[in-house]
């Protein structure tokens, strides 16, 4: 489509198109006849003047797209999220204003599930602490850091969406017992993987490792709060690769400090970046990652391809399979 303009958020990108993910293949847009540019200002919430004259915006980071972000001109047609999460996008507002919203769910499933397995091994073998013992010349303390291992362990997965189910496949392949909880019925699909679905309280109470993979939204805020954490065994460990808002961070810290929870593996936090003075950084039983544990070269390639596919498809008047909504303008013309 001649004159089709794509703007790219600059939090993770440079003016020339290089990004923290490496080369995401923006030349594909040029080859498809689309023009693109990187925004000048890094903001938490996109402003309408930044999107004025644009047909699409590629959101590389966690910039928010609200009703106020959409220009009055009506030209904006597409918000493309680089990743699976869409908690920062007001999908309802986009739908009302004729803007399609896409994410890259299939591209992130495998890499995020692999990051869960990495955290399982790190926690079960106290990997980070053992690394520290060597670096700090504390070799003689290694006997105090025997890990619980994974053999015979039960892993509970909270959220059986695409990432949760992919995680279940990998964990089942390790020969572990897997329990699952989902707010909607996923019993049949879970059973096909050998996963028993139970109420949340039972999953929390029976699991040695609880993995949180639910989407971050208003319905899941503090889904794992003080009451839910109290249901977990003192020997259990919590892994969160969803969103920081899903777990009550203060309640989690309190249980870890009091020894009422054995450990945690966290790739997401209530506030990002995590403040250097956070008590989480002082706990030897916690493994931390900067919301990027799944970032690999294959992750970047797959997510880039999916995001660019959606941008090109919408520019050609097509509705991508990764669309989260059907804009009102499309409904009225069908």
């Amino acid at each position: 489509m001649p004159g089709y303009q794509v703007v790219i958020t600059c939090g993770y990108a440079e003016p020339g198109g290089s990004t923290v993910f490496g080369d995401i293949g923006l030349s594909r847009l040029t080859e498809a006849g689309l023009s693109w540019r990187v925004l000048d200002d890094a903001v938490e919430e996109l402003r309408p003047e930044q999107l004025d004259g644009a047909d699409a915006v590629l959101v590389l980071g966690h910039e928010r797209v609200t009703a106020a972000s959409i220009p009055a001109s009506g030209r904006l047609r597409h918000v493309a999220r680089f990743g699976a999460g869409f908690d920062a996008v007001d999908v309802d507002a986009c739908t009302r204003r004729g803007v399609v919203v896409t994410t890259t769910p299939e591209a992130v499933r495998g890499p995020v599930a692999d990051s869960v397995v990495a955290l399982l091994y790190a926690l079960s073998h106290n990997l980070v602490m053992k690394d520290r013992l060597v670096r700090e010349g504390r070799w003689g303390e290694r006997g105090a850091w025997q890990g619980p291992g994974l053999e015979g362990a039960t892993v509970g997965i909270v959220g059986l969406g695409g990432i949760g189910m992919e995680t279940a496949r990998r964990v089942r392949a390790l020969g572990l017992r897997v329990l699952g909880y989902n707010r909607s019925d996923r019993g049949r699909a879970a059973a096909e993987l050998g996963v028993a679905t139970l109420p949340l309280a039972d999953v929390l109470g029976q699991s040695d490792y609880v993995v949180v993979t639910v989407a971050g939204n208003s319905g899941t805020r503090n889904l794992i709060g003080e009451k839910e954490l109290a249901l977990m065994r003192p020997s259990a460990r919590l892994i969160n690769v969803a969103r920081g808002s899903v777990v009550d961070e203060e309640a989690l810290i309190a249980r870890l400090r009091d020894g009422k929870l054995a450990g945690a593996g966290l790739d997401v936090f209530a506030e990002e970046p995590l403040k250097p003075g956070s008590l989480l950084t002082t706990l030897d039983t916690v493994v931390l990652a900067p919301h990027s544990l799944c970032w690999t070269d294959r992750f970047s390639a797959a997510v880039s391809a999916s995001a660019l596919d959606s941008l090109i498809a919408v520019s050609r008047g097509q509705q991508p399979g990764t669309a989260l909504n059907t804009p009102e303008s499309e409904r009225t013309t069908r």
Side-chain angles (χ1 to χ4, degrees):
M1 177 179 178
Y4 198 90
Q5 302 287 325
V6 178
V7 296
I8 302 165
T9 58
C10 67
Y12 288 2
E14 298 295 331
S18 61
T19 78
V20 296
F21 305 104
D23 181 3
I24 63 172
L26 292 173
S27 59
R28 283 188 57 202
L29 298 181
T30 305
E31 293 166 1
L34 284 65
S35 301
W36 60 268
R37 63 181 175 85
V38 177
L39 294 173
D40 295 329
D41 298 329
V43 295
E44 292 185 1
E45 178 181 341
L46 291 172
R47 303 188 301 269
E49 61 268 24
Q50 292 179 296
L51 304 181
D52 194 34
D55 298 282
V57 54
L58 173 58
V59 182
L60 287 181
H62 299 284
E63 296 89 351
R64 289 185 291 123
V65 180
T66 68
S69 303
I70 304 173
S73 66
R75 177 169 174 172
L76 187 70
R77 296 173 51 188
H78 184 193
V79 173
R81 271 279 298 123
F82 191 96
F86 55 92
D87 49 307
V89 180
D90 188 334
V91 179
D92 289 339
C94 288
T95 302
R96 293 192 300 270
R97 299 288 294 276
V99 180
V100 65
V101 179
T102 61
T103 59
T104 61
E106 294 185 4
V108 305
R109 289 173 186 169
V112 176
D114 286 339
S115 71
V116 170
V117 175
L119 288 171
L120 280 172
Y121 276 116
L123 289 169
S124 63
H125 288 265
N126 282 326
L127 177 61
V128 171
M129 193 59 203
K130 289 176 179 177
D131 174 87
R132 189 178 305 162
L133 294 181
V134 176
R135 294 177 187 274
E136 297 178 359
R138 298 161 57 191
W139 193 282
E141 298 177 33
R142 57 183 175 165
W145 291 97
Q146 295 183 46
L150 286 176
E151 186 174 356
T154 296
V155 177
I157 300 175
V158 178
L160 294 175
I163 291 173
M165 295 295 274
E166 193 61 40
T167 298
R169 290 187 184 92
R170 281 160 166 72
V171 176
R172 284 288 295 150
L174 298 176
L176 304 182
R177 178 184 180 226
V178 181
L179 306 177
Y181 164 78
N182 203 64
R183 291 187 296 163
S184 59
D185 183 15
R186 295 301 304 276
R188 177 175 297 182
E192 291 176 355
L193 293 178
V195 177
T197 53
L198 298 172
L200 178 58
D202 293 335
V203 171
L204 296 174
Q206 296 183 34
S207 299
D208 300 294
Y209 300 88
V210 172
V211 180
V212 183
T213 62
V214 296
N217 53 49
S218 59
T220 60
R221 179 172 294 278
N222 286 342
L223 177 66
I224 308 298
E226 184 175 358
K227 181 179 73 172
E228 289 74 24
L229 291 168
L231 295 173
M232 294 177 62
R233 302 169 178 175
S235 60
R237 291 158 172 80
L238 178 77
I239 292 173
N240 187 8
V241 294
R243 284 290 188 268
S245 61
V246 177
V247 176
D248 184 333
E249 197 167 280
E250 294 302 316
L252 174 63
I253 291 171
R255 295 198 72 81
L256 289 166
R257 293 184 72 189
D258 293 343
K260 295 178 179 179
L261 199 64
L266 307 173
D267 189 40
V268 291
F269 306 92
E271 182 180 348
E272 296 181 3
L274 182 67
K275 292 182 179 179
S278 168
L279 290 176
L280 287 170
T281 64
T282 69
L283 300 172
D284 293 335
T285 57
V286 177
V287 179
L288 306 174
H291 202 155
S292 63
L293 191 57
C294 70
W295 290 8
T296 63
D297 53 358
R298 293 187 179 184
F299 163 86
S300 297
V303 176
S304 300
S306 179
L308 296 178
D309 284 346
S310 71
L311 286 165
I312 294 170
V314 174
S315 77
R316 295 172 177 172
Q318 302 166 359
Q319 181 83 342
T322 55
L324 300 176
N325 63 340
T326 301
E328 297 289 353
S329 59
E330 291 189 15
R331 295 177 186 172
T332 58
T333 58
R334 291 181 179 176

